[in-house]
Amino acid sequence: MTHPNDRHAGDREFATKLIHFGAEIDEATGASSVPIYQASTFHHFDLEQPPKHDYSRSGNPTREALESYIALLEGGTRGFAFSSGMSAISTAFLLLSAGDHVIVTEDVYGGTYRLLTTVLNRLAIESTFVDMTDFEQVVAARRPNTKALFMETPSNPTLKITDIRRIAAWAKEQELLTMLDNTFMTPYHQRPIELGVDLVIHSATKFLGGHSDVLAGLIVTADEALGRRVKALQNGLGTVLGTQESWLLMRGMKTLQVRMEASERSARKLAQWLSEHPGVARVYYPGLDGHPGKEIHERQSQGYGAVVSFDAGSGEKARRLLGKVRIPIVAVSLGAVESILSYPAMMSHAAMPAEVRAARGITDGLVRYSVGLEDIDDLIRDLTQALEA
Ligand SMILES: *Cc1c(COP(=O)(O)O)cnc(C)c1O
């Protein structure tokens, strides 16, 4: 009989790949779920022939199943799992050396901004933050020592769109390494490697894990040579994901498509409803007509995602809303089965000076709604009472 793990064709549809990713059946026992190899080291049966795995930092079968899984989903060559999204991002930036310069999306994730401006700057890795919706700004930021370009699209929390294909093509001409944080879209909605990006990063803590119960990060490389460099860093830095978390993440990822479909359907309805609500000053969602990046987003992504940001009008109104909602949890993070309402001015972007925040549209009235799997009519009824209160 054909071994189930040999029946994989790259031409399967995404939903099928999510379930049959190539390592889902245990080779040794046929178990229907990847076993948790909770071992730090492996016996050498024969000193002349070192075992396939010798130490779990360098390679663990459970983690490797996850790593091949994300590589398949992103359409890349090699995948790597890390202890958090920031651990993945830190490892990726250490592909650079002292004296190198990187161009970065200006409204990048707060932790990425902090890493670049308080840690990597001390190692003489320089960065320039630019509005990547404006191609000319990206070109103008290029210096003789520029080695890489880091994108995040849609950006957080105002969901600005970067033209991935155009920037990746320019970067290739300039021989710059391109990296992209694909956390908000996931490979179900957006596959940057197919658009010319070299390295894709995820905070798998969000949609990929999907249940607010695991912290993890992932990297996928487009080619083998870059994969070997990331592997050396992952092993050298020791930024690996643990075995239990690797298993839990795979458990969550199997339902990625059905979760994303349901949450996105609700997010579209919520964004439309908010845009018609008199108590809401502004709505940010790439699926809304009038979003400046809608067309570009539609050329590079298969969906709009499940995160909707909106301006309640003032800081006072936003704080009142946060106190009145009954269904979403009020917290940082996003991409879970439960809806999550965040308040950037006091949570993720609190460290940013008020003027800088204002210039980036992160007003005191701005809230970010990550739509979960609850019934959309309940979510809208809940927001109705919270906005009226
Ligand atoms: C949460 C997040 C990160 C950081 O991931 P952790 O798992 O929290 O370390 C990076 N990028 C984006 C876009 C995020 O939302």
Side-chain angles (χ1 to χ4, degrees):
M1 209 181 302
T2 321
H3 189 291
N5 293 358
D6 294 335
R7 296 182 304 190
H8 300 287
D11 56 4
R12 296 255 180 93
E13 300 298 328
F14 193 83
T16 310
K17 289 181 187 172
L18 275 175
I19 309 301
H20 302 285
F21 52 90
E24 74 276 13
I25 310 281
D26 178 39
E27 297 281 345
T29 64
S32 62
S33 148
V34 177
I36 300 175
Y37 285 92
Q38 194 65 28
S40 60
T41 192
F42 299 83
H43 179 59
H44 290 236
F45 286 99
D46 178 354
L47 275 180
E48 304 306 321
Q49 278 201 322
K52 183 169 174 227
H53 299 98
D54 73 345
Y55 190 62
S56 274
R57 171 160 42 72
S58 314
N60 175 283
T62 313
R63 193 177 78 233
E64 282 172 3
L66 166 64
E67 293 177 330
S68 63
Y69 190 8
I70 191 62
L72 177 76
L73 298 182
E74 285 286 2
T77 306
R78 304 241 345 228
F80 302 94
F82 300 87
S83 54
S84 68
M86 282 319 302
S87 176
I89 292 168
S90 305
T91 303
F93 274 121
L94 288 174
L95 287 163
L96 301 176
S97 302
D100 289 352
H101 171 251
V102 54
I103 304 170
V104 185
T105 304
E106 87 182 337
D107 39 4
V108 75
Y109 176 73
T112 307
Y113 179 83
R114 189 169 52 217
L115 173 73
L116 284 161
T117 57
T118 71
V119 181
L120 295 173
N121 61 327
R122 291 192 284 103
L123 307 179
I125 293 170
E126 302 165 8
S127 44
T128 303
F129 297 89
V130 302
D131 177 357
M132 286 212 188
T133 62
D134 181 358
F135 181 66
E136 299 312 319
Q137 280 195 38
V138 179
V139 174
R142 168 98 163 89
R143 296 188 202 161
N145 61 334
T146 304
K147 292 286 164 57
L149 199 141
F150 187 98
M151 294 174 255
E152 192 178 314
T153 180
S155 69
N156 180 27
T158 55
L159 303 160
K160 284 192 192 166
I161 304 302
T162 295
D163 188 335
I164 303 173
R165 240 189 228 103
R166 186 174 188 195
I167 291 193
W170 173 78
K172 196 136 284 168
E173 256 170 48
Q174 307 286 314
E175 298 185 349
L176 309 181
L177 171 74
T178 45
M179 307 189 261
L180 190 146
D181 184 333
N182 203 28
T183 300
F184 271 45
M185 284 293 106
T186 82
Y188 174 55
H189 278 330
Q190 181 169 284
R191 287 183 291 281
I193 287 173
E194 294 173 2
L195 305 169
V197 169
D198 299 315
L199 183 148
V200 176
I201 302 174
H202 285 283
S203 169
T205 310
K206 316 294 168 52
F207 291 103
L208 290 171
H211 295 72
S212 297
D213 56 10
V214 61
L215 202 64
L218 298 167
I219 287 180
V220 178
T221 62
D223 67 59
E224 180 61 31
L226 185 58
R228 274 197 297 274
R229 292 174 63 203
V230 173
K231 174 75 193 178
L233 284 170
Q234 183 198 38
N235 186 41
L237 295 164
T239 43
V240 292
L241 187 64
T243 3
Q244 309 257 351
E245 275 84 354
S246 295
W247 184 88
L248 193 53
L249 186 51
M250 285 188 274
R251 169 69 130 88
M253 283 164 67
K254 290 176 184 175
T255 54
L256 177 69
Q257 177 159 335
V258 287
R259 285 187 288 105
M260 285 302 277
E261 272 172 359
S263 286
E264 197 225 21
R265 197 181 319 120
S266 296
R268 288 192 204 200
K269 279 192 194 158
L270 187 76
Q272 192 60 41
W273 179 82
L274 284 165
S275 71
E276 291 160 11
H277 194 288
V280 173
R282 193 161 171 192
V283 185
Y284 301 86
Y285 186 65
L288 279 183
D289 288 335
H291 185 292
K294 184 170 190 272
E295 246 177 74
I296 292 172
H297 185 76
E298 287 172 348
R299 269 189 263 134
Q300 62 195 17
S301 309
Q302 284 81 47
Y304 306 108
V307 177
V308 183
S309 295
F310 62 97
D311 196 319
S314 70
E316 195 193 329
K317 286 180 180 163
R319 286 192 292 275
R320 200 165 60 212
L321 170 79
L322 290 160
K324 292 280 179 190
V325 288
R326 296 194 190 117
I327 294 178
I329 63 166
V330 175
V332 289
S333 201
L334 56 110
V337 291
E338 71 277 5
S339 290
I340 303 179
L341 197 54
S342 310
Y343 187 38
M346 287 178 73
M347 294 178 181
S348 51
H349 293 70
M352 197 178 267
E355 324 76 80
V356 182
R357 252 192 278 133
R360 293 188 189 173
I362 309 167
T363 53
D364 287 346
L366 191 76
V367 292
R368 190 188 70 197
Y369 205 119
S370 167
V371 183
L373 299 180
E374 303 92 341
D375 190 292
I376 182 59
D377 294 334
D378 281 332
L379 297 182
I380 287 177
R381 269 194 291 273
D382 179 41
L383 267 184
T384 303
Q385 63 81 26
L387 281 164
E388 272 165 10

